[in-house]
Amino acid sequence: MDFLDLIRAAFLGVLQGLTEFLPVSSTGHLLIFGRMIGYDDPGGVFTVMIQLGSILAVMWLYRQRIIDVIAGLPTKPEARRFALMLFLAFLPAAFIGLLANSYIRDELYLRLDIIAIALILGGFAMLAIEKWPPKIEVKDAAETPIWRAVGVGAFQTLALIPGVSRSGATIFGGLALGLDRRAAAEFSFFLAMPTMVAAFTYDLVRMIRTMSDPALAENAVRFTPDFAVEIAVGFVFAFISAALVVKPFLDFVTRVGFGPFAWYRIVFGVFILGILALGWL
């Protein structure tokens, strides 16, 4: 086992955990920095699978809410409504993702210029909605009307383009549909749970199918015992770093807003375009 690969996996795990719930595109960061440090991630499997560490972190932080919803499903209308809200919001990205998965993995994941442009455009979109905010109609993510939740889910489909940012798209969608900053961020966290668990499950099934079908050997994912250890290391570091960042992020955006993240996206996107133009990446 290459110790350097474990260091790279740990670094990418920390990066994933820090950026998953910030509106700056965790996938874009992993693909770009993975390329910079020479980490091989065929098909983006490592990228998607360590994202589960981040999702489990937010599930742990919101475990009481989750337990209350599950326990209340048989008897509490508000619990059933919350579950239905998330399910309906999850469907648009799930449907489009299934249709376009191969194109996204085989084409878009390789286009760092697209990632950079998406970062820049998303940054300007966030600046615009901070400057001209819609009227606030919802202050509690759990009380988001169903039609607004589905609208946020539609915005999430934009995040299938690497660089857009899943949290960025859903937070922007929440703000555009009348959620306040904290409610938009929390709704993004809740919607991340079914979305990323589904993405993880899809990749796991795909890997198992690849390993068990000789006809797919030529395009097989590099799933060796060493690769499994790298995923485990990235997973653990993603869990820890995400658990540390969620609450401070909520407090920060409630007080300050999303402007700093928007400017970061723009600067980082321009930087990536610059090094691409110079042939350094």
Side-chain angles (χ1 to χ4, degrees):
M1 181 180 297
D2 189 340
F3 182 72
L4 185 57
D5 278 341
L6 294 182
I7 297 297
R8 293 185 180 119
F11 168 74
L12 293 175
V14 171
L15 186 65
Q16 156 63 29
L18 292 177
T19 58
E20 175 62 41
F21 300 105
L22 305 184
V24 296
S25 179
S26 61
T27 299
H29 277 73
L30 289 181
L31 292 173
I32 289 167
F33 281 97
R35 186 86 62 89
M36 285 181 172
I37 66 177
Y39 186 79
D40 182 27
D41 183 20
V45 172
F46 175 86
T47 297
V48 170
M49 296 193 77
I50 68 169
Q51 285 175 337
L52 184 63
S54 301
I55 300 308
L56 290 180
V58 80
M59 291 175 74
W60 172 253
L61 294 173
Y62 284 94
R63 61 191 180 278
Q64 192 57 55
R65 175 75 66 91
I66 295 171
I67 292 170
D68 291 344
V69 169
I70 294 174
L73 285 176
T75 58
K76 296 182 179 178
E78 61 270 23
R80 291 194 292 270
R81 183 195 168 281
F82 183 83
L84 177 64
M85 175 185 73
L86 289 186
F87 175 71
L88 293 177
F90 158 76
L91 287 180
F95 178 71
I96 301 298
L98 283 174
L99 291 179
N101 180 70
S102 296
Y103 176 74
I104 293 167
R105 296 296 181 84
D106 298 337
E107 300 292 336
L108 296 185
Y109 270 35
L110 303 178
R111 295 289 303 276
L112 299 190
D113 56 335
I114 290 178
I115 294 174
I117 292 169
L119 284 165
I120 294 169
L121 294 179
F124 280 118
M126 295 188 99
L127 288 176
I129 206 164
E130 281 280 290
K131 185 171 180 61
W132 298 290
K135 181 181 177 182
I136 294 175
E137 304 283 354
V138 180
K139 295 185 178 181
D140 184 344
E143 296 178 1
T144 304
I146 295 293
W147 73 268
R148 294 181 197 269
V150 173
V152 175
F155 272 95
Q156 183 172 234
T157 63
L158 297 174
L160 294 170
I161 303 170
V164 168
S165 167
R166 192 210 57 78
S167 59
T170 51
I171 288 171
F172 180 90
L175 294 173
L177 291 167
L179 280 68
D180 73 5
R181 290 169 176 166
R182 191 178 189 92
E186 283 203 318
F187 190 92
S188 175
F189 296 165
F190 294 143
L191 186 53
M193 297 177 196
T195 301
M196 296 314 304
V197 168
F200 170 83
T201 303
Y202 178 87
D203 268 308
L204 184 61
V205 171
R206 184 166 66 102
M207 284 192 302
I208 293 172
R209 179 170 173 263
T210 299
M211 289 187 296
S212 62
D213 189 347
L216 300 175
E218 185 178 348
N219 298 315
V221 175
R222 180 179 62 89
F223 193 71
T224 64
D226 286 353
F227 188 39
V229 173
E230 292 166 23
I231 289 174
V233 169
F235 179 96
V236 170
F237 278 89
F239 179 95
I240 294 171
S241 54
L244 294 175
V245 79
V246 167
K247 293 298 185 182
F249 169 65
L250 275 176
D251 294 339
F252 181 84
V253 298
T254 301
R255 290 183 292 103
V256 179
F258 296 100
F261 301 102
W263 283 113
Y264 171 80
R265 290 177 64 109
I266 294 167
V267 171
F268 186 48
V270 170
F271 169 73
I272 295 302
L273 288 179
I275 63 175
L276 287 172
L278 293 172
W280 293 352
L281 187 61

